């Protein structure tokens, strides 16, 4: 018998109807024997996520405001789900305890974690499965960093050989027993950690879309779903703004060689996106796997004649950047020019100091900062050694009348990054998508 870990996101557990879908999905495959739930999410566009309501409770408590009304609304949402499912659950005691702890100053992590805790307990009661509290198996060290070793050890000790277990997502505890959480969307990480600990055959991440899209659906209408993608490709796309999974959820499963399958709770018959260490289908339909990007980068352009023969020039430029606490994204260079691409935001209040320091350390002929740059990454294992991919890409941009301000292609050859004006961003993404996907 195999083991599959199924993580269900907030929209997959937003109301009783969604709980029923989850039960049916689990019943379809008995290998799905470990479940990681999020807190109930939005039921419609105007709804508020339970996690956001709980953060608000913590804020109210810290400014001495009353909690009863808000906690009452949260309790009602859980009670409605339980009543519709016919599950009896001691909500009143639970909420009394939660209120007491929040008023005693348990903090926002504790408050936020109760969304997953209660949903986990409710789901376990509904399914008749065992509940394992994440505070006993997921551990954080100082600074809210995951204690990966202890977590791996405790999780595998508690879960080894067990079936039909619910571990709530998003939180754990620190060395003093205080509740800690991952950053928002962190139940994905819990799912990945559970999958690694039980050496799952697959980590299923159930959400409300049928997988990762080839491009942002807010820019390209009905983009195709990516059927198969490698962890490396997904990492490049997520880094450039594609958001499907929490970024930190990729590492535990990737190291353990466990594939991740993004699935749609509302359309369980769809295969979703399979993320693997190495893709099985090397004849993927298109030479590219996906396009992602975002706006608001700035280029620091440094010119100095004969810069190429000056040893340590690049190090000194980066020293100036580092001294200002700025992280850089890319560094395309010419013969006598060097460019450092950074997020525009990171320069706020630091521009003058940075430029002055570059002059001091590097004695360049000129330093200029240009903002309003958007970066677009076109990623695909199919591009490696494929001839004509970049010609196709740049032709498409030229035909769309878009000026390319920057080009960066790593030697891995599976990611071509172009920089365009912020204003051209959406058109550029559409032009690239059309060139590789729609025209075929
Ligand atoms: N409930 C948390 C959030 O809204 C964690 C999660 O859903 O993954 O961010």
């Amino acid at each position: 018998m195999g083991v599959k870990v199924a993580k269900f996101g907030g929209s997959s557990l937003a109301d009783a109807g969604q709980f029923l879908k989850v039960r049916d999905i689990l019943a379809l495959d008995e290998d799905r024997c470990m479940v990681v739930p999020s807190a109930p999410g939005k039921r419609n566009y105007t709804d508020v996520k339970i996690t956001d309501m709980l953060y608000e409770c913590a804020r109210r408590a810290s400014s001495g405001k009353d909690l009863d009304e808000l906690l009452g609304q949260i309790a009602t949402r859980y009670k409605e789900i339980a009543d519709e499912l016919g599950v009896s659950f001691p909500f009143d005691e639970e909420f009394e305890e939660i209120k007491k702890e929040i008023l005693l100053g348990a903090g926002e992590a504790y408050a936020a974690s109760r969304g997953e805790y209660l949903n986990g307990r409710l789901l376990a009661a509904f399914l008749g499965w065992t509940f394992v509290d994440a505070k006993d198996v997921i551990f954080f060290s100082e600074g809210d960093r995951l204690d990966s070793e202890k977590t791996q050890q405790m999780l595998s000790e508690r879960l080894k050989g067990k079936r039909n277990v619910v571990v709530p997502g998003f939180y754990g505890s620190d060395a003093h027993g205080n509740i800690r959480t991952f950053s928002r969307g962190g139940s994905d990480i819990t799912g990945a950690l559970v999958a690694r600990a039980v050496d799952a055959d697959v980590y299923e991440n159930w959400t409300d879309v049928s997988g990762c899209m080839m491009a942002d659906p807010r820019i390209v209408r009905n983009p195709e779903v990516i059927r198969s993608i490698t962890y490396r490709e997904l990492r490049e796309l997520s880094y450039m703004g594609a958001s499907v999974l929490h970024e930190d959820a990729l590492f535990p499963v990737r190291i353990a060689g466990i594939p991740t399958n993004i699935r749609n709770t509302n359309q369980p018959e769809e295969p979703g996106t399979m993320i693997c260490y190495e893709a099985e289908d090397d004849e993927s339909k298109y030479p590219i796997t996906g396009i992602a990007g975002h706006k608001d980068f700035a280029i620091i352009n440094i010119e100095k004649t004969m810069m190429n023969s000056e040893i340590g020039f690049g190090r000194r430029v980066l020293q100036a950047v580092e001294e200002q606490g700025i992280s850089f994204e890319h560094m395309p260079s010419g013969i006598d020019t060097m460019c450092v691409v950074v997020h525009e935001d990171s320069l706020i209040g630091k521009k003058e100091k940075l430029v002055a320091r570059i002059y001091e350390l590097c004695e360049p002929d000129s330093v200029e900062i240009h903002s309003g740059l958007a970066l677009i990454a076109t990623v695909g294992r199919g591009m490696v050694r494929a001839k004509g991919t970049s010609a196709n890409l740049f032709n498409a941009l030229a035909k769309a009348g878009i000026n390319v301000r920057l080009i960066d292609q790593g030697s891995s050859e599976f990611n071509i990054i172009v920089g365009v004006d912020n204003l051209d961003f959406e058109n550029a993404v559409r032009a690239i998508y059309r060139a590789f996907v729609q025209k075929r």
Side-chain angles (χ1 to χ4, degrees), residues 352-365:
E352 280 76 33
K353 267 189 263 162
L354 175 65
V355 172
R357 195 66 181 128
I358 296 176
Y359 273 110
E360 248 168 56
L361 285 169
C362 314
E363 297 172 352
D365 301 333

Side-chain angles (χ1 to χ4, degrees), residues 277-289:
Y277 198 76
E278 264 170 50
E280 287 146 19
D281 65 331
D282 259 349
E283 294 118 44
S284 81
K285 212 162 144 202
Y286 306 114
I288 67 164
T289 304

Side-chain angles (χ1 to χ4, degrees), residues 35-49:
V35 167
V36 175
S38 283
K42 293 184 180 194
R43 292 160 295 184
N44 52 54
Y45 283 117
T46 54
D47 207 5
V48 184
K49 288 173 104 177

Side-chain angles (χ1 to χ4, degrees), residues 5 16 31 91 124 129 140 146 178 309 314 320 325 342 358 404 413 430:
V5 172
D31 287 353
F91 283 116
W129 287 22
F140 290 80
L146 174 76
N178 298 318
S309 58
V342 300
I358 296 176
V404 176
E413 285 186 53
R430 284 192 278 266

Side-chain angles (χ1 to χ4, degrees), residues 5 47 100 119 138 163 166 175 205 213 220 253 260 372 388 414 420:
V5 172
D47 207 5
K100 194 182 88 200
N119 223 24
I138 305 277
R163 298 190 78 83
V166 176
N205 193 292
M213 309 285 167
V220 171
V253 269
T260 299
F414 70 96
V420 300

